[in-house]
Amino acid sequence: MAVGTYLLARAVERPLSALIRRTRLVGAGQLDDLPEHPSRGSSEIAAAAAAFDDVVGNLRLLEGKVRALASCAFDDPVLDQQLPGPLGEELARSVRVLSGSIHDRSELQDRLAHQATHDGLTGLPNRVAAIESLANRIARGRRRGHLVAVAFIDLDGFTRINDTYGHDAGDAVLRCVADRLGEASRDVDVVARLGGDEYLVVFEEVSDVHAALTAARRIAERVAEPIRHGGRTLRVGASIGLAFAQDGADEPLELLAKAEIAVHRARLADEPVALFDEAQQEALRRRTAIEAALRDELAAGGPNLELHYQPIIRAADQSLRGFEALIRWSGPDGALIPPAEFIGVAEASPLVVQLDRWVLTTALAQLAAWHRHPALAHVDLSVNVSGRHVLSRDFAPHVRDALASVDVSPERLIIEVTETVLLDDLIVAVENLEEVRAMGIRVAVDDFGTGYTSLAHLRRLPMDELKIDRSFLSDLGQPQNRDLVRTVNELARHVGVPTVAEGIETAEQYAILREIGCDDVQGYLFGRPMPAADTAGWWTRHQAAVRDDDGVPAPTASR
Ligand code: C2E
Ligand code: MG
Ligand code: MG
């Protein structure tokens, strides 16, 4: 009995419990380090163990497949080995579906990455990619001591093609230019589309400035060749600005900005290619500094801004009609910045609207103060406004707001707008100025003669006064200049508005302008722009001078 039990244990129980142990381990997901099969046992147990090994083998194959899929190793041979039966088929199908969708997704990712860095129309790298490539080229140029040149290419005449022949023609031109830029530059050069009709070519390794100029001129010539599209011959030109990364010191955006500035130079000089130069760089630096300082100044409420007031005089009897407000700004270092300079900078940004509002409010407060002053209660006030503001939708509401905050009659306010601004967008300017005229405010056309207003336009201008530009008065001794001023004055009579002659410095000029018949005069002869506090004193002195000098004052000593 004991021997029988012993034999049974050897033949059945031990191998069976070993098999159970292995099964448990596999059930717990541990395919590695399975214990050995017992060497002996009944034939049934041996068959069960062999079948079990097959299962383990298949599971190992499955594990291999999952690993390959997880690491996107679609060419791993393990994926080609099929597991037996319906499970194997199902698994093979799933692997196909899964690998297909993973493949599609990575293709989509590649496509999106391409789209994010390329221009859809021309297939060229876009602005983002161009700036990145430019940064790389600058860095490489610095390491290797190469000169890197940037050519900013702006098309001439593109808008006209787009407007006249439609967007299809426009697109065809943009694509053709892209191809030509590629043909006209070397493989190492970066060619990109920055947007609109602007392109960029980065010349790596140019030997010198002359070589870059030659390459840019070749590009301009190639772009200017006729383009055939839809049975038509289209033509565009290229204005190219060149800038160089000197010693690799420039930032990509800075270099791009310099090249763009050089484009304006090319246009002004009517040349296909122009170089960015240091004077321009200095001007750019100054502009940027002025803009930043002005932004801070206005944000702080304008503590260093001040209005000076220049008298406007009746030509006939030298009585005081009013004052023109002229802005003064002592910049961050305390030095006075001429308005011609910072107003130009402000005009290029929305800052100028803020500046105009400050001027309007401050000047109107001064006008209210004069109206309480016994000697100056009759004066009116002229305020310059910028073109950008006049053409904005907010212009009339801003004027209305400023007027609402003070107790002055709108008839005492004159808005000065330069002639060139009116011509920029006559329809909008007329509309907005008519709106302020409807409030009772007068409009003066400033610097008249600097634009090219035709008589037909002159009739349409919403104006109550015409200011003859100072440049005409510089040499009134010349008969032709005198005739010119006479003609302008007659023109004003013709449309029924009074004239103001600006910039009178000598008694001779004054005499001639009186003879011509200008209504009002303004200039250093009568009074320079002065702080508000000086105006009453100036007026007293001026009246005395007129009495003493029999109507013709000596140039005033006021500032
Ligand atoms: P503008 O409106 O034509 O002003 C007349 C300019 O001529 C002033 O220069 C004035 O100082 C100057 N001027 C007056 N009489 C004489 C003279 O007898 N001889 C000479 N040589 N110059 C004379 P300013 O103050 O430098 O202003 C220049 C321009 O800046 C102004 O020309 C105006 O267009 C603009 N501006 C001035 N203040 C403002 C402002 O508050 N807002 C805006 N938007 N523009 C302003
Ligand atoms: Mg003016
Ligand atoms: Mg003027």
Side-chain angles (χ1 to χ4, degrees):
M1 183 62 190
V3 173
T5 309
Y6 170 74
L7 287 176
L8 192 65
R10 273 196 61 169
V12 179
E13 278 177 14
R14 277 205 203 141
L16 201 57
S17 52
L19 194 59
I20 290 167
R21 226 171 33 248
R22 282 165 59 92
T23 310
R24 286 220 173 97
L25 285 170
V26 170
Q30 291 180 21
L31 293 184
D32 299 330
D33 306 326
L34 291 179
E36 286 288 306
H37 279 303
S39 49
R40 279 188 291 264
S42 70
S43 60
E44 287 84 353
I45 288 176
F52 183 80
D53 279 352
D54 284 349
V55 172
V56 170
N58 286 342
L59 284 174
R60 284 210 169 105
L61 184 57
L62 188 61
E63 185 184 48
K65 282 172 184 284
V66 169
R67 282 218 176 99
L69 282 178
S71 55
C72 292
F74 296 114
D75 48 0
D76 192 322
V78 78
L79 292 178
D80 300 330
Q81 295 173 38
Q82 186 156 351
L83 282 163
L87 173 66
E89 273 165 32
E90 186 56 31
L91 198 68
R93 203 185 60 79
S94 307
V95 167
R96 274 196 306 277
V97 170
L98 210 61
S99 68
S101 79
I102 290 175
H103 182 257
D104 287 353
R105 209 180 66 186
S106 71
E107 226 179 29
L108 181 69
Q109 268 170 350
D110 288 351
R111 248 199 341 267
L112 287 176
H114 187 269
Q115 273 170 15
T117 53
H118 286 73
D119 163 48
L121 181 68
T122 60
L124 289 179
N126 63 13
R127 191 184 175 85
V128 174
I131 289 167
E132 197 177 317
S133 306
L134 182 55
N136 290 336
R137 302 299 148 115
I138 294 172
R140 199 149 68 193
R142 181 166 41 221
R143 283 198 305 275
R144 300 185 185 168
H146 291 152
L147 190 60
V148 175
V150 170
F152 192 110
I153 299 151
D154 198 352
L155 300 186
D156 301 325
F158 173 74
T159 319
R160 190 174 33 79
I161 289 182
N162 228 3
D163 293 348
T164 318
Y165 303 113
H167 290 277
D168 269 2
D171 287 355
V173 167
L174 292 175
R175 273 195 294 263
C176 177
V177 169
D179 293 343
R180 288 179 180 180
L181 292 181
E183 289 157 20
S185 43
R186 300 165 307 169
D187 287 347
V188 288
D189 300 336
V190 177
V191 179
R193 182 175 171 218
L194 294 172
D197 60 353
E198 296 170 352
Y199 298 82
L200 173 84
V201 176
V202 182
F203 304 117
E204 215 183 343
E205 295 187 41
V206 273
S207 49
D208 54 23
V209 173
H210 183 73
L213 269 172
T214 309
R217 288 202 183 106
R218 196 175 56 233
I219 287 178
E221 277 167 22
R222 184 81 182 93
V223 171
E225 286 171 19
I227 298 170
R228 296 288 304 161
H229 173 76
R232 282 202 183 85
T233 303
L234 307 172
R235 277 173 204 278
V236 283
S239 293
I240 304 183
L242 268 182
F244 297 88
Q246 270 143 1
D247 315 318
D250 288 278
E251 291 294 319
L253 286 177
E254 199 182 327
L255 203 55
L256 207 60
K258 287 180 177 177
E260 189 172 3
I261 288 174
V263 170
H264 299 304
R265 250 187 119 205
R267 288 237 163 87
L268 282 178
D270 204 14
E271 291 280 341
V273 183
L275 298 176
F276 177 82
D277 75 352
E278 288 307 311
Q280 267 187 304
Q281 176 159 12
E282 188 43 46
L284 177 72
R285 227 178 260 139
R286 187 158 165 85
R287 276 186 80 91
T288 318
I290 286 180
E291 192 181 326
L294 189 60
R295 180 168 291 119
D296 293 346
E297 178 72 41
L298 286 167
N304 302 304
L305 291 173
E306 193 188 356
L307 288 181
H308 281 195
Y309 298 90
Q310 187 177 31
I312 301 176
I313 304 283
R314 298 276 180 218
D317 59 3
Q318 288 212 51
S319 59
L320 176 64
R321 186 196 98 181
F323 291 97
E324 175 176 1
L326 293 159
I327 195 157
R328 299 292 176 257
W329 179 31
S330 26
D333 54 1
L336 211 66
I337 304 174
E341 186 170 359
F342 71 85
I343 284 170
V345 175
E347 279 265 4
S349 80
L351 279 181
V352 79
V353 173
Q354 249 178 294
L355 184 71
D356 269 8
R357 296 190 78 181
W358 182 91
V359 170
L360 255 178
T361 319
T362 312
L364 280 171
Q366 182 55 47
L367 184 60
W370 281 326
H371 288 178
R372 292 190 294 270
H373 191 287
L376 297 171
H378 67 288
V379 297
D380 59 22
L381 171 74
S382 300
V383 174
N384 295 282
V385 292
S386 73
R388 194 181 176 121
H389 196 190
V390 169
L391 296 177
S392 86
R393 203 186 281 270
D394 299 328
F395 176 61
H398 284 168
V399 174
R400 191 175 286 121
D401 282 356
L403 268 174
S405 62
V406 286
D407 182 23
V408 294
S409 146
E411 286 75 29
R412 295 298 184 86
L413 178 63
I414 299 166
I415 296 277
E416 292 197 5
V417 195
T418 60
E419 181 193 8
T420 41
V421 163
L422 290 173
L423 301 183
D424 268 356
D425 193 339
L426 193 62
I427 296 175
V428 177
V430 168
E431 207 170 282
N432 291 353
L433 289 170
E434 286 302 2
E435 208 174 328
V436 297
R437 284 176 96 205
M439 301 174 204
I441 294 164
R442 279 172 288 162
V443 171
V445 174
D446 202 358
D447 302 346
F448 188 82
T450 52
Y452 299 93
T453 310
S454 65
L455 194 57
H457 271 148
L458 200 62
R459 288 187 180 288
R460 290 183 55 199
L461 296 186
M463 65 172 169
D464 304 284
E465 173 177 299
L466 195 153
K467 296 190 82 170
I468 303 170
D469 192 60
R470 181 156 54 90
S471 57
F472 292 101
L473 308 195
S474 53
D475 199 358
L476 277 178
Q478 298 278 336
Q480 61 265 45
N481 284 356
R482 206 178 305 183
D483 288 348
L484 209 65
V485 175
R486 200 184 296 282
T487 309
V488 172
N489 201 57
E490 275 162 19
L491 219 58
R493 290 272 165 282
H494 195 73
V495 292
V497 297
T499 49
V500 182
E502 298 185 281
I504 298 169
E505 295 180 356
T506 66
E508 293 72 42
Q509 287 173 323
Y510 175 46
I512 293 168
L513 290 163
R514 277 188 76 174
E515 185 267 314
I516 286 174
C518 287
D519 298 279
D520 298 334
V521 284
Q522 180 181 355
Y524 294 171
L525 177 66
F526 311 101
R528 290 187 176 239
M530 62 192 100
D534 296 354
T535 51
W538 163 84
W539 177 223
T540 310
R541 284 196 306 280
H542 179 80
Q543 282 172 299
V546 171
R547 271 194 311 271
D548 297 349
D549 294 353
D550 203 17
V552 180
T556 50
S558 59
R559 273 181 291 162

